[in-house]
Amino acid sequence: MSQDLKAFLRGNAKPLTNIRYVASDRFTDADGKPIEWELRPVTTPENDALMKQARRGEVDNSEIALKLAVMATVFPDLKNTELQESYGVVGEEELLQALLAVPGEYYDYLAKVQSFMGYDKKPEERIEEAKN
């Protein structure tokens, strides 16, 4: 097996890792420091399933972006019923929108998720990143 091909073996691939992001400075710890949210990479099969689901009905791009953001959010736990109840909502999508009630925060978060998933990169940018 050639050396270049070995780079594609599972054990040689860089692992997918979560990132942390301050989605809002309105949520702070006891010291007043903004609490970081945690995002995980959504896999291609998960994304494909989301897109198939979207094609079955009348779904627009903003709804797909919301569903992707919900899927990627690890912390805070959007499934937490106590958290949902505290905002008077039912469901992960409704909770995310309630937490990020300021439109700028919400749309910045959606943009961060899409960027993290690589949707904002052109092939040339990916090549440059790989070189560095």
Side-chain angles (χ1 to χ4, degrees):
M1 183 178 299
S2 75
Q3 183 60 32
D4 288 343
L5 192 57
K6 287 182 181 181
F8 291 95
L9 294 174
R10 185 179 197 136
N12 294 332
K14 293 179 183 177
L16 299 173
T17 57
N18 294 4
I19 62 165
R20 296 191 177 274
Y21 170 73
V22 175
S24 173
D25 59 3
R26 295 180 305 114
F27 305 105
T28 58
D29 63 15
D31 297 325
K33 181 180 173 190
I35 297 174
E36 293 180 320
W37 292 39
E38 184 176 355
L39 298 170
R40 71 171 182 86
V42 172
T43 65
T44 300
E46 288 174 317
N47 188 68
D48 286 349
L50 176 67
M51 295 309 218
K52 283 179 188 172
Q53 214 178 21
R55 278 187 237 126
R56 290 188 192 130
E58 296 293 319
V59 180
D60 60 19
N61 288 338
S62 60
E63 189 171 344
I64 292 171
L66 171 58
K67 290 179 181 301
L68 182 64
V70 166
M71 191 179 285
T73 303
V74 175
F75 182 81
D77 179 5
L78 300 176
K79 294 178 183 174
N80 184 284
T81 54
E82 182 180 0
L83 195 52
Q84 290 179 17
E85 288 171 2
S86 78
Y87 281 88
V89 299
V90 176
E92 300 162 73
E93 293 171 14
E94 291 79 8
L95 179 57
L96 180 61
Q97 291 176 318
L99 287 166
L100 299 175
V102 177
E105 292 175 347
Y106 176 71
Y107 289 109
D108 284 350
Y109 190 72
L110 296 183
K112 181 65 175 182
V113 170
Q114 290 176 351
S115 174
F116 179 49
M117 300 303 156
Y119 283 119
D120 66 338
K121 296 178 185 172
K122 296 177 182 163
E124 306 82 40
E125 293 172 336
R126 292 178 203 274
I127 292 169
E128 273 307 307
E129 281 184 14
K131 289 179 182 177
N132 295 328

